[in-house]
Amino acid sequence: MTHLVEWDAPSRRRAEEDWEPPSRRVGRMLGELMLAAGLVLVLFAAYATYGKAWRIESEQNALAGELDRSWAASAGRPVEGQPMARIHIPKLGRQWAVVEGVSQADLRKGPGHYPRTAQPGQIGNVAIAGHRISSVFWDVDRLDRGDVIVAETRTGWFVYRVVRQRLVLPRQVEVIAPSPGRPGEAPRKAMLTLTTCNPKFQNWQRLVVHAELVREQAKSRGRPAELKGHP
């Protein structure tokens, strides 16, 4: 048997105030879902920007020590995933140990050297890739013509100066050719090329910085003047 309960006036008013039309309820639920999804995207972006940056900084600390030990032991050419050189960019106040290789595993450690491209100081193109995050190539768009990039090896310093910055599509791999932009042509200059994603937080372009070797200096002569005041 169903019992009917007679509501008093205050109870009826509260029930009417609590009642919500189905359309409004659906709209409220969708709004809450969108807010939650937005929060997830914000957290993901924060991890992509700062979480990866922190991890690479940690990897760089380990690589710096590994690189110094390999130089002290006069180790030969590094295998993929191992540090092979160090680059310094005074304008950005940054330096990185560069690993051999450009796989995702390699680039999680910092900048990576494209295999089969030139070594620092050689005629040809030293091609180096890096993620566009705060701990790697975030600010390379600030480099202008004439700015310095110094490559450091076990035996020497190689001072390059920026000659060009450009934006290309990912398929334009000729930018890392021995003669950048002219695949198949024999190189005549010693070049260094940095590549990274563009725009920031996206990857539908590549930002490319080309530099030419202007001089080299033996390690026995100390640090080059271009790194004065640079760590």
Side-chain angles (χ1 to χ4, degrees), residues 155-192:
T155 58
W157 305 92
F158 302 89
V159 180
Y160 296 80
R161 289 197 179 273
V162 174
V163 295
R164 186 182 181 188
Q165 183 183 127
R166 59 191 297 207
L167 295 175
V168 301
L169 296 175
R171 66 173 180 270
Q172 293 178 258
V173 295
E174 65 270 16
V175 298
I176 64 169
S179 290
R182 298 186 295 274
E185 183 175 314
R188 299 181 180 180
K189 297 179 180 180
M191 304 284 297
L192 183 146

Side-chain angles (χ1 to χ4, degrees), residues 91-114:
K91 183 175 183 177
L92 305 184
R94 296 302 305 261
Q95 65 175 12
W96 299 274
V98 179
V99 301
E100 182 70 18
V102 291
S103 69
Q104 287 301 313
D106 298 326
L107 296 182
R108 281 198 291 268
K109 302 175 183 178
H113 174 248
Y114 282 90

Side-chain angles (χ1 to χ4, degrees), residues 8-27:
D8 56 23
S11 298
R12 184 176 295 108
R13 282 196 301 270
R14 285 196 299 271
E16 290 173 352
E17 291 172 356
D18 292 340
W19 184 80
E20 183 178 22
S23 59
R24 185 181 300 174
R25 186 181 302 114
V26 170

